[in-house]
Amino acid sequence: MALAGSSAHAWTYDVFISFRGQDTRYSFTGYLYEALCNKGIHTFIDDEELPKGDEITPSLLSTIQESRISILIDPFDVRHLNKSFGEAIAKHEERFKNDMNKVQKWKKALHQVANLSGYHFKDGDGYEHEFVRNIVEDISRKIRHVPLLVADYPVGLESRVSEVISLLEIDSADRVHMVGIHGMGGIGKTTLALAVFNLIADNFEGVCFLENVRENSSKYGLVHLQNNLLSKILGKEGVQVEGVREGGSQIQQRLCRKKVLLILDDVDDRKQLQAIAGKLDWFGRGSRVIITTRDAHLLKCHGVESTYKVQGLNKEESLQLLVENAFKNDDVNPSYTDVLIRAITYASGLPLALEVIGSHLFGKGIEEWKSALNEFEKHLDNKIHKILQVSFNALGKQEQSVFLDIVCCFKGYTLVEVTDILQAHYGSCMKYHIGVLLDKSLININWCDTRVTTHDLIEDMGKEIVLKISPKMPGKRSRLWFYEDIVKVLQDNQGTSAIEIIYLEFPLFEREGDEDSLIKEGNKDVEVKWDGKALKDMKNLKTLIVKNGCFSESPKHLPNSLRVLEWRRYPSKYFPLDFQPKELSIFKLPDILFMSPKLDSLSKASVVNSIS
């Protein structure tokens, strides 16, 4: 008797029993059918002879496809094409003599089915009822793998699941294989892992989906996760361990001969991997381990070579997910088109954001949509912010600072420019820290032009972290980038020692009466009316970048702490008299400023760049 598992995840029957002839109808097959039914296992028995022409009816084929497990009795006759199987193949050889390749494929398929690992019983091996009981218990273990809830609306999953399945190399049964799924928070890593789990779980002796490893290891410890793994796979045979080292040894000892599927969801520390899936030889041949994480570097450290980065949804997928959550059907009034497009643009392909927006606005009118989107664009939704900030909280202090600098001020700069500016700002090498941000999917590099980018909602999350330092007093924040805040600080002399970076760039304005013309450089119509003294109290200002706009007065003071100075339309030919630029490493100023004698005091190591 041979067993075959179905990869479907919506089943009509738990078990499909197939046999031919009268041999075991009223003995073994009948006993097995009755035992399965008594166990509450929904079973279909195919005990009818094939109709004339030896064709499988569409209804029977559908039943096979809708059954989780197929049991084939009399595999000897199938393997050797005896009795009715041999007769049927002979007829097919005659019928398809001009296409013998088709017949050969059928023979090969029958042989493969017959060779599936299964159960063997012959007289003298013991009691038949015990043999039947063992089969039923094994099948019970297999079908207790109830499909896990993936998502209310699993949009865009099919292609992504296929790519992960290909990385898993399921057909390779002679080795253990680990695959990592990584990407930013809320991008759908767990959803993808759940869908893959449901699709392939029946191919394994034991399965375990360990959810929220980061959170649960923090709350309950690694030993709790080890015990959870052992009990889920071994069931009543599981053991209780008391220490991490003991747990690792028990996992290796108990599972090294079992073909298992293990999902470790949301891992954020290599110690978690070392405790639960330390080495490949902890698991039996054919086992697969899937790890989801925000940190690609963690996968590298653990030797995981096959990885998949989850990308955001495209516009069509985003619209579908948003509509499903917001309207629960595809019947959408065309009048919602503009607000839907606006919401999709805001979410930038992040499933989490689309689900939150859609659920929040379910049953709401267009004006409510507009009002809500205004609020979303001003302040990141708390649920979204909380999930995204997990990645920020996991950073070291230096990396947190570098991340905030980039998302607040330097998004869109080339990698070289960002590295140079931050290196001058901090006085130390930034390549490592930037690499950490890349590994954690907090920033990205556009490899076409090497520009540093980040997801719009990641940017919003970072900016809100800075804004919360001082919501109403911008002069007390570490970074200033919003032009209205900067103008307020400069005009009202609200500068403080808290400010470390100022990045001033006025938006492009249309010229009045000329809708097709934009001021692309300089924004001559924008003037900062100040007395020039606001920079005096910014004792820790290290980076000052002024991209455009004009100033009513030249600065009366420039902080000696400056390391990066870029001022495209600097309003004077000279620096302030008390400016001692000993720390200045990068500056970009108009050519005319080279007349200034103050330049003589610059360090020889300084990088000088002029702007004409």
Side-chain angles (χ1 to χ4, degrees):
M1 185 188 76
L3 279 71
S6 169
S7 61
H9 51 273
W11 299 280
T12 302
Y13 292 95
D14 294 320
V15 175
F16 177 94
I17 300 178
S18 177
F19 77 104
R20 287 290 172 262
Q22 301 292 330
D23 300 30
T24 62
R25 183 189 307 271
Y26 302 111
S27 56
F28 174 77
T29 303
Y31 300 151
L32 177 60
Y33 176 72
E34 182 181 16
L36 289 168
C37 292
N38 289 340
K39 193 74 171 179
I41 298 171
H42 193 30
T43 307
F44 180 92
I45 184 167
D46 173 27
D47 61 352
E48 299 295 329
E49 294 291 339
L50 282 174
K52 291 182 180 180
D54 297 304
E55 295 290 342
I56 296 178
T57 63
S59 62
L60 183 59
L61 181 60
S62 176
T63 302
I64 295 172
Q65 293 172 336
E66 293 170 0
S67 300
R68 293 189 66 178
I69 295 174
S70 296
I71 299 179
L72 176 66
I73 301 175
D74 294 336
F76 180 85
D77 294 334
V78 177
R79 182 185 298 114
H80 298 286
L81 302 180
N82 293 336
K83 300 181 181 179
S84 61
F85 292 96
E87 295 170 6
I89 286 295
K91 290 180 181 179
H92 285 311
E93 287 177 338
E94 178 62 28
R95 182 178 176 184
F96 298 103
K97 56 186 176 183
N98 294 326
D99 188 8
M100 292 302 291
N101 185 48
K102 179 182 290 188
V103 178
Q104 289 300 321
K105 287 182 179 179
W106 287 339
K107 287 183 177 181
K108 183 179 179 181
L110 289 171
H111 187 74
Q112 288 175 336
V113 169
N115 280 323
L116 289 172
S117 61
Y119 305 87
H120 305 278
F121 181 82
K122 59 184 179 181
D123 292 339
D125 282 352
Y127 293 105
E128 189 171 275
H129 68 87
E130 290 183 351
F131 181 63
V132 170
R133 185 182 64 199
N134 290 336
I135 295 171
V136 173
E137 288 180 355
D138 189 25
I139 290 174
S140 295
R141 282 195 295 269
K142 290 180 181 295
I143 68 170
R144 79 179 177 205
H145 307 150
V146 178
L148 302 176
L149 178 63
V150 175
D152 291 336
Y153 308 106
V155 175
L157 271 181
E158 187 173 346
S159 61
R160 293 166 174 83
V161 167
S162 296
E163 292 182 61
V164 174
I165 292 290
S166 67
L167 291 176
L168 287 167
E169 300 178 22
I170 297 297
D171 293 335
S172 178
D174 61 339
R175 66 190 184 98
V176 179
H177 197 33
M178 288 189 182
V179 169
I181 299 175
H182 64 99
M184 64 179 285
I187 201 69
K189 301 180 296 297
T190 300
T191 301
L192 177 55
L194 286 165
V196 172
F197 178 87
N198 285 344
L199 197 62
I200 66 175
D202 286 340
N203 296 309
F204 299 86
E205 295 176 57
V207 298
C208 178
F209 194 109
L210 284 181
E211 297 181 275
N212 302 321
V213 170
R214 170 184 57 82
E215 182 178 345
N216 288 328
S217 65
S218 176
K219 284 184 178 180
Y220 310 113
L222 293 174
V223 171
H224 170 82
L225 296 179
Q226 291 174 325
N227 282 322
N228 199 354
L229 166 62
L230 288 167
S231 64
K232 281 190 175 183
I233 292 184
L234 299 177
K236 63 182 180 181
E237 302 172 9
V239 294
Q240 286 293 310
V241 300
E242 297 182 359
V244 174
R245 291 182 183 275
E246 179 193 355
S249 298
Q250 287 287 357
I251 292 172
Q252 181 180 20
Q253 181 179 345
R254 297 300 185 105
L255 304 184
C256 65
R257 285 178 292 276
K258 281 187 176 291
K259 180 183 178 183
V260 303
L261 172 62
L262 171 61
I263 313 287
L264 302 177
D265 174 52
D266 194 18
V267 175
D268 73 338
D269 192 318
R270 194 183 172 199
K271 290 180 180 179
Q272 297 156 1
L273 294 178
Q274 291 172 327
I276 305 167
K279 295 182 180 179
L280 296 176
D281 63 8
W282 284 21
F283 310 102
R285 291 193 303 172
S287 294
R288 295 295 182 267
V289 178
I290 300 175
I291 303 160
T292 76
T293 181
R294 303 184 187 201
D295 190 350
H297 184 68
L298 185 150
L299 298 173
K300 296 175 189 174
C301 290
H302 200 62
V304 180
E305 297 178 355
S306 298
T307 61
Y308 179 80
K309 183 172 184 178
V310 185
Q311 304 292 343
L313 302 178
N314 60 35
K315 290 182 179 179
E316 291 75 17
E317 293 168 337
S318 295
L319 178 60
Q320 182 183 349
L321 183 58
L322 179 60
V323 166
E324 294 278 12
N325 278 277
F327 300 94
K328 311 303 180 186
N329 57 56
D330 296 330
D331 186 18
V332 182
N333 191 313
S335 61
Y336 280 85
T337 299
D338 289 342
V339 290
L340 286 172
I341 292 174
R342 184 177 165 192
I344 289 169
T345 301
Y346 169 78
S348 300
L350 188 68
L352 169 66
L354 293 163
E355 291 169 356
V356 168
I357 294 171
S359 300
H360 182 74
L361 296 176
F362 172 69
K364 305 294 184 183
I366 293 175
E367 292 305 315
E368 290 173 289
W369 273 72
K370 291 179 180 178
S371 176
L373 287 171
N374 287 339
E375 289 302 312
F376 275 123
E377 289 166 354
K378 288 179 182 177
H379 301 289
L380 194 61
D381 173 81
N382 286 337
K383 182 177 180 180
I384 300 173
H385 185 100
K386 183 178 179 181
I387 290 176
L388 295 182
Q389 192 171 340
V390 168
S391 296
F392 175 81
N393 293 341
L395 299 172
K397 288 186 177 180
Q398 184 82 309
E399 284 130 18
Q400 287 182 342
S401 294
V402 171
F403 166 74
L404 295 176
D405 293 344
I406 291 174
V407 298
C408 292
C409 303
F410 305 123
K411 179 181 176 181
Y413 275 53
T414 67
L415 179 60
V416 171
E417 289 172 330
V418 169
T419 303
D420 287 346
I421 290 173
L422 293 178
Q423 197 154 310
H425 182 97
Y426 290 99
S428 59
C429 182
M430 288 291 110
K431 289 184 178 180
Y432 170 77
H433 300 301
I434 291 173
V436 170
L437 301 182
L438 285 168
D439 285 333
K440 293 185 181 294
S441 297
L442 285 168
I443 63 172
N444 300 295
I445 302 296
N446 185 330
W447 296 114
C448 294
D449 56 11
T450 72
R451 294 195 178 277
V452 178
T453 64
T454 186
H455 191 281
D456 290 345
L457 298 184
I458 291 282
E459 178 184 352
D460 290 348
M461 178 268 291
K463 287 181 175 179
E464 287 204 4
I465 289 173
V466 175
L467 291 173
K468 286 179 180 178
I469 295 172
S470 178
K472 296 183 179 180
M473 295 291 292
K476 294 183 178 181
R477 300 175 197 150
S478 57
R479 299 157 182 85
L480 297 176
W481 65 88
F482 184 47
Y483 71 97
E484 289 185 358
D485 288 341
I486 297 172
V487 170
K488 180 177 178 62
V489 168
L490 295 180
Q491 292 186 162
D492 297 346
N493 288 322
Q494 294 182 356
T496 71
S497 59
I499 302 172
E500 295 184 11
I501 298 180
I502 292 178
Y503 180 92
L504 176 59
E505 183 171 19
F506 291 99
L508 302 177
F509 296 102
E510 292 183 356
R511 294 181 189 276
E512 189 174 349
D514 186 359
E515 295 182 357
D516 296 328
S517 177
L518 291 176
I519 303 175
K520 295 184 178 180
E521 186 74 30
N523 283 335
K524 296 179 181 178
D525 296 335
V526 179
E527 182 180 28
V528 179
K529 296 180 180 180
W530 69 325
D531 60 12
K533 299 178 181 179
L535 298 174
K536 183 176 182 180
D537 292 329
M538 301 185 192
K539 305 295 185 181
N540 293 313
L541 183 65
K542 296 179 181 179
T543 297
L544 173 60
I545 297 176
V546 182
K547 288 289 187 181
N548 51 28
C550 59
F551 288 72
S552 61
E553 299 286 340
S554 61
K556 302 299 188 292
H557 305 279
L558 284 174
N560 292 332
S561 56
L562 278 175
R563 297 183 177 186
V564 178
L565 174 59
E566 176 183 339
W567 198 325
R568 288 182 179 271
R569 300 176 64 213
Y570 187 78
S572 175
K573 294 181 180 180
Y574 306 102
F575 285 138
L577 292 175
D578 62 349
F579 181 43
Q580 302 294 327
K582 295 180 180 179
E583 302 293 329
L584 197 59
S585 295
I586 296 176
F587 66 94
K588 297 182 180 181
L589 297 164
D591 283 337
I592 192 170
L593 203 66
F594 276 86
M595 299 168 56
S596 172
K598 280 289 180 182
L599 292 178
D600 295 337
S601 64
L602 287 174
S603 166
K604 293 182 180 179
S606 298
V607 180
V608 180
N609 298 287
S610 66
I611 300 174
S612 55

Short mmCIF file of all heavy atoms in Angstrom, two decimals, residues 558-565 575 579-589 593-610:
data_model
loop_
_atom_site.label_atom_id
_atom_site.label_comp_id
_atom_site.label_asym_id
_atom_site.label_seq_id
_atom_site.Cartn_x
_atom_site.Cartn_y
_atom_site.Cartn_z
N LEU A 558 28.49 81.99 12.03
CA LEU A 558 28.46 80.61 11.56
C LEU A 558 29.12 79.76 12.65
O LEU A 558 30.22 80.10 13.11
CB LEU A 558 29.20 80.44 10.23
CG LEU A 558 28.49 80.92 8.97
CD1 LEU A 558 29.43 80.82 7.76
CD2 LEU A 558 27.22 80.13 8.70
N PRO A 559 28.48 78.67 13.06
CA PRO A 559 29.05 77.85 14.15
C PRO A 559 30.41 77.24 13.76
O PRO A 559 30.57 76.73 12.64
CB PRO A 559 28.00 76.76 14.34
CG PRO A 559 26.74 77.32 13.80
CD PRO A 559 27.16 78.18 12.64
N ASN A 560 31.34 77.29 14.65
CA ASN A 560 32.65 76.68 14.40
C ASN A 560 32.56 75.15 14.36
O ASN A 560 33.51 74.48 13.98
CB ASN A 560 33.65 77.11 15.47
CG ASN A 560 33.98 78.58 15.37
OD1 ASN A 560 33.92 79.16 14.28
ND2 ASN A 560 34.31 79.20 16.50
N SER A 561 31.43 74.61 14.79
CA SER A 561 31.24 73.16 14.78
C SER A 561 30.93 72.60 13.38
O SER A 561 30.91 71.39 13.20
CB SER A 561 30.09 72.78 15.73
OG SER A 561 28.90 73.48 15.36
N LEU A 562 30.74 73.50 12.39
CA LEU A 562 30.35 73.06 11.06
C LEU A 562 31.40 72.16 10.42
O LEU A 562 32.60 72.47 10.42
CB LEU A 562 30.09 74.26 10.15
CG LEU A 562 28.72 74.93 10.24
CD1 LEU A 562 28.67 76.17 9.36
CD2 LEU A 562 27.63 73.95 9.84
N ARG A 563 30.93 71.05 9.87
CA ARG A 563 31.79 70.14 9.11
C ARG A 563 31.37 70.03 7.65
O ARG A 563 32.18 69.69 6.81
CB ARG A 563 31.77 68.76 9.76
CG ARG A 563 32.33 68.76 11.17
CD ARG A 563 32.38 67.39 11.77
NE ARG A 563 32.99 67.42 13.09
CZ ARG A 563 33.27 66.34 13.81
NH1 ARG A 563 32.96 65.14 13.34
NH2 ARG A 563 33.82 66.45 14.99
N VAL A 564 30.10 70.30 7.40
CA VAL A 564 29.57 70.29 6.04
C VAL A 564 28.80 71.59 5.84
O VAL A 564 27.87 71.90 6.58
CB VAL A 564 28.62 69.09 5.80
CG1 VAL A 564 28.05 69.13 4.38
CG2 VAL A 564 29.35 67.77 6.04
N LEU A 565 29.20 72.36 4.82
CA LEU A 565 28.54 73.62 4.52
C LEU A 565 28.27 73.71 3.02
O LEU A 565 29.20 73.71 2.22
CB LEU A 565 29.39 74.81 4.98
CG LEU A 565 28.87 76.21 4.60
CD1 LEU A 565 27.48 76.44 5.19
CD2 LEU A 565 29.85 77.28 5.06
N PHE A 575 32.92 85.29 4.86
CA PHE A 575 32.43 84.62 6.06
C PHE A 575 32.35 85.64 7.20
O PHE A 575 33.04 86.66 7.17
CB PHE A 575 33.39 83.51 6.48
CG PHE A 575 33.33 82.28 5.63
CD1 PHE A 575 34.49 81.63 5.25
CD2 PHE A 575 32.11 81.75 5.22
CE1 PHE A 575 34.45 80.49 4.48
CE2 PHE A 575 32.05 80.62 4.45
CZ PHE A 575 33.22 79.98 4.07
N PHE A 579 34.09 83.43 12.53
CA PHE A 579 33.99 82.03 12.06
C PHE A 579 35.37 81.41 11.92
O PHE A 579 36.21 81.90 11.16
CB PHE A 579 33.25 81.99 10.72
CG PHE A 579 33.06 80.60 10.16
CD1 PHE A 579 32.69 79.54 10.97
CD2 PHE A 579 33.28 80.34 8.80
CE1 PHE A 579 32.50 78.26 10.45
CE2 PHE A 579 33.10 79.07 8.27
CZ PHE A 579 32.72 78.03 9.10
N GLN A 580 35.61 80.37 12.70
CA GLN A 580 36.88 79.64 12.66
C GLN A 580 36.60 78.21 12.14
O GLN A 580 36.34 77.30 12.92
CB GLN A 580 37.51 79.59 14.05
CG GLN A 580 37.77 80.94 14.66
CD GLN A 580 38.83 81.70 13.88
OE1 GLN A 580 39.76 81.11 13.32
NE2 GLN A 580 38.69 83.04 13.83
N PRO A 581 36.63 77.98 10.82
CA PRO A 581 36.20 76.70 10.22
C PRO A 581 37.24 75.59 10.29
O PRO A 581 37.60 74.99 9.28
CB PRO A 581 35.91 77.10 8.77
CG PRO A 581 36.88 78.20 8.50
CD PRO A 581 37.05 78.96 9.78
N LYS A 582 37.69 75.30 11.50
CA LYS A 582 38.73 74.28 11.64
C LYS A 582 38.20 72.86 11.43
O LYS A 582 38.96 71.95 11.12
CB LYS A 582 39.38 74.40 13.03
CG LYS A 582 40.13 75.70 13.23
CD LYS A 582 40.76 75.78 14.62
CE LYS A 582 41.51 77.08 14.81
NZ LYS A 582 42.11 77.18 16.17
N GLU A 583 36.90 72.65 11.65
CA GLU A 583 36.30 71.32 11.50
C GLU A 583 35.71 71.09 10.11
O GLU A 583 35.30 69.98 9.79
CB GLU A 583 35.19 71.13 12.55
CG GLU A 583 35.63 71.28 13.98
CD GLU A 583 36.56 70.16 14.40
OE1 GLU A 583 36.41 69.04 13.87
OE2 GLU A 583 37.45 70.40 15.24
N LEU A 584 35.67 72.14 9.29
CA LEU A 584 34.99 72.06 8.00
C LEU A 584 35.71 71.12 7.05
O LEU A 584 36.91 71.25 6.82
CB LEU A 584 34.90 73.46 7.39
CG LEU A 584 33.88 73.66 6.26
CD1 LEU A 584 32.48 73.35 6.74
CD2 LEU A 584 33.97 75.09 5.74
N SER A 585 34.98 70.15 6.54
CA SER A 585 35.56 69.17 5.62
C SER A 585 34.98 69.26 4.21
O SER A 585 35.66 69.04 3.23
CB SER A 585 35.33 67.74 6.14
OG SER A 585 36.02 67.52 7.34
N ILE A 586 33.70 69.56 4.12
CA ILE A 586 33.04 69.66 2.81
C ILE A 586 32.30 70.99 2.75
O ILE A 586 31.51 71.31 3.64
CB ILE A 586 32.03 68.51 2.60
CG1 ILE A 586 32.75 67.16 2.57
CG2 ILE A 586 31.23 68.71 1.32
CD1 ILE A 586 31.82 65.97 2.45
N PHE A 587 32.57 71.78 1.73
CA PHE A 587 31.76 72.97 1.54
C PHE A 587 31.56 73.24 0.06
O PHE A 587 32.42 72.97 -0.77
CB PHE A 587 32.35 74.20 2.26
CG PHE A 587 33.65 74.69 1.71
CD1 PHE A 587 33.68 75.69 0.76
CD2 PHE A 587 34.85 74.17 2.18
CE1 PHE A 587 34.89 76.16 0.27
CE2 PHE A 587 36.05 74.64 1.70
CZ PHE A 587 36.08 75.63 0.74
N LYS A 588 30.37 73.71 -0.24
CA LYS A 588 30.00 74.05 -1.61
C LYS A 588 29.41 75.45 -1.57
O LYS A 588 28.34 75.67 -1.02
CB LYS A 588 28.97 73.05 -2.15
CG LYS A 588 29.49 71.63 -2.26
CD LYS A 588 28.44 70.71 -2.85
CE LYS A 588 28.95 69.28 -2.97
NZ LYS A 588 27.96 68.36 -3.57
N LEU A 589 30.14 76.38 -2.13
CA LEU A 589 29.76 77.79 -2.08
C LEU A 589 30.02 78.43 -3.44
O LEU A 589 30.76 77.89 -4.27
CB LEU A 589 30.56 78.51 -1.00
CG LEU A 589 30.32 78.02 0.44
CD1 LEU A 589 31.43 78.52 1.34
CD2 LEU A 589 28.97 78.51 0.94
N LEU A 593 33.11 83.48 -3.33
CA LEU A 593 33.57 83.38 -1.96
C LEU A 593 35.04 83.00 -1.86
O LEU A 593 35.65 83.12 -0.81
CB LEU A 593 32.71 82.36 -1.19
CG LEU A 593 32.69 82.55 0.33
CD1 LEU A 593 32.01 83.86 0.68
CD2 LEU A 593 32.03 81.40 1.02
N PHE A 594 35.61 82.56 -2.95
CA PHE A 594 37.02 82.20 -2.90
C PHE A 594 37.90 83.43 -2.69
O PHE A 594 39.09 83.32 -2.45
CB PHE A 594 37.42 81.47 -4.18
CG PHE A 594 37.10 80.01 -4.12
CD1 PHE A 594 35.85 79.55 -4.48
CD2 PHE A 594 38.04 79.10 -3.69
CE1 PHE A 594 35.54 78.21 -4.41
CE2 PHE A 594 37.74 77.75 -3.62
CZ PHE A 594 36.48 77.30 -3.98
N MET A 595 37.30 84.60 -2.81
CA MET A 595 38.04 85.83 -2.51
C MET A 595 38.25 85.99 -1.01
O MET A 595 39.07 86.76 -0.56
CB MET A 595 37.27 87.05 -3.04
CG MET A 595 37.06 87.05 -4.54
SD MET A 595 35.86 88.30 -5.05
CE MET A 595 36.59 89.77 -4.38
N SER A 596 37.48 85.26 -0.23
CA SER A 596 37.52 85.45 1.21
C SER A 596 38.84 84.99 1.81
O SER A 596 39.28 83.87 1.56
CB SER A 596 36.37 84.68 1.86
OG SER A 596 36.51 84.71 3.26
N PRO A 597 39.47 85.83 2.62
CA PRO A 597 40.70 85.42 3.30
C PRO A 597 40.47 84.32 4.32
O PRO A 597 41.40 83.65 4.73
CB PRO A 597 41.17 86.72 3.97
CG PRO A 597 39.92 87.52 4.16
CD PRO A 597 39.07 87.23 2.97
N LYS A 598 39.24 84.13 4.74
CA LYS A 598 38.95 83.10 5.72
C LYS A 598 39.28 81.71 5.19
O LYS A 598 39.49 80.77 5.95
CB LYS A 598 37.48 83.14 6.11
CG LYS A 598 37.15 84.21 7.13
CD LYS A 598 37.72 83.83 8.48
CE LYS A 598 37.41 84.91 9.52
NZ LYS A 598 38.01 84.57 10.82
N LEU A 599 39.28 81.55 3.87
CA LEU A 599 39.58 80.24 3.31
C LEU A 599 40.99 79.80 3.63
O LEU A 599 41.31 78.62 3.61
CB LEU A 599 39.37 80.25 1.79
CG LEU A 599 37.91 80.41 1.34
CD1 LEU A 599 37.85 80.46 -0.18
CD2 LEU A 599 37.08 79.25 1.84
N ASP A 600 41.86 80.75 3.94
CA ASP A 600 43.24 80.39 4.26
C ASP A 600 43.34 79.58 5.53
O ASP A 600 44.31 78.84 5.75
CB ASP A 600 44.08 81.67 4.41
CG ASP A 600 44.18 82.42 3.09
OD1 ASP A 600 44.00 81.76 2.03
OD2 ASP A 600 44.45 83.63 3.12
N SER A 601 42.34 79.70 6.39
CA SER A 601 42.40 79.00 7.67
C SER A 601 41.87 77.58 7.59
O SER A 601 41.90 76.87 8.58
CB SER A 601 41.60 79.78 8.72
OG SER A 601 40.23 79.81 8.35
N LEU A 602 41.38 77.18 6.42
CA LEU A 602 40.87 75.82 6.28
C LEU A 602 42.00 74.81 6.36
O LEU A 602 43.11 75.06 5.91
CB LEU A 602 40.15 75.65 4.94
CG LEU A 602 38.78 76.31 4.82
CD1 LEU A 602 38.26 76.17 3.41
CD2 LEU A 602 37.81 75.67 5.79
N SER A 603 41.72 73.66 6.91
CA SER A 603 42.70 72.59 6.99
C SER A 603 43.08 72.13 5.60
O SER A 603 42.27 72.13 4.68
CB SER A 603 42.10 71.42 7.77
OG SER A 603 42.88 70.26 7.60
N LYS A 604 44.31 71.73 5.41
CA LYS A 604 44.76 71.21 4.12
C LYS A 604 44.01 69.95 3.73
O LYS A 604 43.92 69.62 2.55
CB LYS A 604 46.26 70.93 4.19
CG LYS A 604 47.12 72.17 4.33
CD LYS A 604 48.59 71.80 4.33
CE LYS A 604 49.45 73.05 4.48
NZ LYS A 604 50.90 72.71 4.51
N ALA A 605 43.46 69.24 4.69
CA ALA A 605 42.76 68.00 4.41
C ALA A 605 41.31 68.24 3.98
O ALA A 605 40.61 67.31 3.61
CB ALA A 605 42.77 67.08 5.63
N SER A 606 40.87 69.50 4.04
CA SER A 606 39.49 69.80 3.72
C SER A 606 39.19 69.56 2.26
O SER A 606 40.04 69.72 1.39
CB SER A 606 39.17 71.26 4.06
OG SER A 606 39.35 71.48 5.43
N VAL A 607 37.96 69.16 1.99
CA VAL A 607 37.50 68.95 0.62
C VAL A 607 36.78 70.20 0.18
O VAL A 607 35.79 70.60 0.77
CB VAL A 607 36.55 67.74 0.53
CG1 VAL A 607 36.10 67.54 -0.90
CG2 VAL A 607 37.23 66.49 1.06
N VAL A 608 37.27 70.87 -0.86
CA VAL A 608 36.71 72.13 -1.30
C VAL A 608 35.95 71.92 -2.60
O VAL A 608 36.50 71.42 -3.57
CB VAL A 608 37.81 73.19 -1.50
CG1 VAL A 608 37.20 74.50 -1.97
CG2 VAL A 608 38.59 73.38 -0.22
N ASN A 609 34.68 72.27 -2.63
CA ASN A 609 33.86 72.19 -3.83
C ASN A 609 33.17 73.52 -4.03
O ASN A 609 32.55 74.04 -3.11
CB ASN A 609 32.79 71.09 -3.69
CG ASN A 609 33.41 69.73 -3.51
OD1 ASN A 609 33.96 69.17 -4.43
ND2 ASN A 609 33.32 69.22 -2.28
N SER A 610 33.27 74.07 -5.19
CA SER A 610 32.63 75.37 -5.44
C SER A 610 31.39 75.21 -6.28
O SER A 610 31.23 74.25 -7.02
CB SER A 610 33.62 76.30 -6.17
OG SER A 610 33.90 75.79 -7.47
#
